[in-house]
Coordinates of all heavy atoms in Angstrom, one line a residue:
A249 N 15.9 0.8 11.3 CA 15.9 1.6 10.1 C 14.6 1.4 9.2 O 14.3 2.2 8.4 CB 17.1 1.3 9.2
L250 N 13.9 0.3 9.5 CA 12.7 0.0 8.7 C 11.5 0.0 9.6 O 11.0 1.0 10.1 CB 12.9 -1.3 8.0 CG 13.9 -1.2 6.8 CD1 14.1 -2.6 6.2 CD2 13.4 -0.3 5.7
M251 N 11.0 -1.2 9.9 CA 9.7 -1.3 10.6 C 9.8 -1.4 12.1 O 8.8 -1.6 12.8 CB 8.9 -2.5 10.1 CG 8.8 -2.5 8.6 SD 8.4 -0.9 7.8 CE 6.7 -0.7 8.2
G252 N 11.0 -1.2 12.6 CA 11.2 -1.3 14.1 C 11.8 -2.6 14.6 O 11.3 -3.7 14.3
G253 N 12.9 -2.5 15.3 CA 13.5 -3.7 15.8 C 12.9 -4.1 17.2 O 12.0 -3.4 17.6
R254 N 13.4 -5.1 17.8 CA 12.9 -5.6 19.1 C 13.5 -4.7 20.2 O 14.7 -4.4 20.2 CB 13.3 -7.0 19.3 CG 12.8 -7.7 20.5 CD 13.3 -9.1 20.7 NE 12.4 -10.0 19.9 CZ 12.9 -10.7 18.9 NH1 14.1 -10.5 18.4 NH2 12.1 -11.5 18.2
S255 N 12.6 -4.3 21.1 CA 13.1 -3.5 22.2 C 14.0 -4.3 23.1 O 13.8 -5.5 23.4 CB 11.9 -3.1 23.1 OG 12.3 -2.4 24.3
P256 N 15.1 -3.7 23.5 CA 16.1 -4.3 24.5 C 15.5 -4.5 25.9 O 16.1 -5.2 26.7 CB 17.3 -3.4 24.4 CG 16.7 -2.0 24.1 CD 15.6 -2.3 23.2
F257 N 14.4 -3.8 26.1 CA 13.8 -3.8 27.5 C 12.7 -4.8 27.6 O 12.4 -5.3 28.7 CB 13.3 -2.4 27.9 CG 14.3 -1.3 27.6 CD1 14.2 -0.4 26.6 CD2 15.5 -1.2 28.5 CE1 15.2 0.6 26.4 CE2 16.4 -0.2 28.3 CZ 16.3 0.7 27.2
N258 N 12.0 -5.1 26.5 CA 10.9 -6.0 26.5 C 10.8 -6.6 25.1 O 10.5 -5.9 24.1 CB 9.6 -5.3 26.9 CG 8.4 -6.2 27.0 OD1 8.4 -7.3 26.4 ND2 7.4 -5.8 27.8
P259 N 11.0 -7.9 24.9 CA 11.1 -8.5 23.6 C 9.7 -8.5 22.9 O 9.7 -8.7 21.7 CB 11.5 -10.0 23.9 CG 11.1 -10.2 25.3 CD 11.3 -8.9 26.0
N260 N 8.7 -8.2 23.6 CA 7.4 -8.1 22.9 C 7.0 -6.7 22.4 O 6.0 -6.5 21.7 CB 6.3 -8.5 23.9 CG 6.3 -9.9 24.4 OD1 6.5 -10.8 23.5 ND2 6.3 -10.2 25.6
L261 N 7.9 -5.8 22.6 CA 7.7 -4.4 22.2 C 8.6 -4.0 21.1 O 9.7 -4.6 20.9 CB 7.8 -3.4 23.4 CG 6.9 -3.6 24.6 CD1 7.1 -2.6 25.7 CD2 5.4 -3.5 24.1
I262 N 8.3 -2.8 20.4 CA 9.1 -2.3 19.4 C 10.2 -1.4 20.0 O 10.0 -0.8 21.1 CB 8.3 -1.4 18.4 CG1 7.1 -2.2 17.9 CG2 9.1 -0.9 17.3 CD1 7.4 -3.4 17.1
S263 N 11.4 -1.4 19.4 CA 12.5 -0.6 20.0 C 12.1 0.9 20.1 O 11.5 1.4 19.2 CB 13.7 -0.8 19.0 OG 14.7 0.2 19.3
P264 N 12.6 1.5 21.2 CA 12.3 2.9 21.4 C 12.9 3.8 20.3 O 12.5 5.0 20.1 CB 12.9 3.3 22.7 CG 13.0 1.9 23.4 CD 13.2 0.9 22.4
A265 N 13.9 3.2 19.5 CA 14.5 4.0 18.4 C 13.6 4.1 17.2 O 13.9 4.9 16.3 CB 15.8 3.3 18.0
S266 N 12.4 3.4 17.2 CA 11.5 3.4 16.1 C 10.3 4.3 16.4 O 9.8 4.2 17.6 CB 11.1 2.0 15.7 OG 10.0 2.0 14.9
V267 N 9.8 5.0 15.5 CA 8.5 5.8 15.7 C 7.4 4.9 16.0 O 6.4 5.3 16.7 CB 8.2 6.6 14.5 CG1 9.3 7.6 14.2 CG2 7.9 5.8 13.2
F268 N 7.4 3.6 15.6 CA 6.3 2.7 15.9 C 6.2 2.3 17.4 O 5.1 1.8 17.8 CB 6.4 1.5 15.0 CG 6.5 1.8 13.5 CD1 7.6 1.4 12.8 CD2 5.5 2.5 12.9 CE1 7.6 1.7 11.4 CE2 5.5 2.8 11.6 CZ 6.6 2.4 10.8
S269 N 7.2 2.6 18.1 CA 7.1 2.2 19.5 C 6.1 3.1 20.3 O 5.6 2.6 21.4 CB 8.5 2.4 20.2 OG 8.9 3.7 20.2
S270 N 5.8 4.2 19.8 CA 4.8 5.1 20.5 C 3.4 4.9 20.0 O 2.5 5.5 20.5 CB 5.2 6.6 20.2 OG 5.2 6.9 18.9
W271 N 3.2 4.0 19.0 CA 1.9 3.8 18.5 C 1.0 3.1 19.4 O 1.4 2.2 20.2 CB 2.0 3.0 17.2 CG 2.3 3.8 16.0 CD1 3.0 5.0 16.0 CD2 2.1 3.5 14.6 NE1 3.2 5.5 14.7 CE2 2.7 4.6 13.8 CE3 1.5 2.5 14.0 CZ2 2.6 4.6 12.4 CZ3 1.4 2.5 12.6 CH2 2.0 3.5 11.8
K272 N -0.3 3.4 19.4 CA -1.3 2.7 20.2 C -2.2 1.9 19.2 O -2.6 2.4 18.2 CB -2.2 3.6 21.0 CG -1.4 4.5 22.0 CD -0.7 3.7 23.0 CE 0.0 4.6 24.1 NZ 1.1 3.9 24.7
V273 N -2.5 0.6 19.6 CA -3.3 -0.2 18.7 C -4.8 0.0 19.1 O -5.1 0.5 20.1 CB -2.9 -1.7 18.9 CG1 -1.4 -1.9 18.5 CG2 -3.1 -2.2 20.3
I274 N -5.6 -0.4 18.1 CA -7.1 -0.4 18.3 C -7.7 -1.7 17.9 O -7.0 -2.5 17.2 CB -7.7 0.8 17.5 CG1 -7.6 0.5 16.0 CG2 -7.1 2.1 17.9 CD1 -8.4 1.5 15.2
C275 N -8.9 -2.0 18.3 CA -9.7 -3.1 17.8 C -9.0 -4.5 18.0 O -9.1 -5.4 17.2 CB -10.0 -2.9 16.3 SG -10.9 -1.4 16.0
T276 N -8.3 -4.6 19.2 CA -7.6 -5.9 19.4 C -8.2 -6.7 20.5 O -7.6 -7.7 21.0 CB -6.1 -5.6 19.8 OG1 -6.1 -4.8 21.0 CG2 -5.4 -4.8 18.7
Q277 N -9.4 -6.4 21.0 CA -10.0 -7.1 22.1 C -11.4 -7.6 21.7 O -12.4 -7.2 22.2 CB -10.1 -6.1 23.3 CG -8.8 -5.6 23.7 CD -8.9 -4.6 24.8 OE1 -10.0 -4.2 25.3 NE2 -7.8 -4.0 25.2
P278 N -11.4 -8.6 20.7 CA -12.7 -9.0 20.2 C -13.6 -9.7 21.3 O -14.8 -9.6 21.3 CB -12.3 -10.1 19.2 CG -10.9 -10.4 19.5 CD -10.3 -9.2 20.0

Side-chain angles (χ1 to χ4, degrees):
L250 291 173
M251 312 313 291
R254 182 181 280 111
S255 171
F257 309 107
N258 184 335
N260 295 312
L261 299 179
I262 308 298
S263 166
S266 168
V267 297
F268 303 121
S269 66
S270 63
W271 280 23
K272 300 299 183 205
V273 298
I274 66 169
C275 303
T276 61
Q277 301 173 3

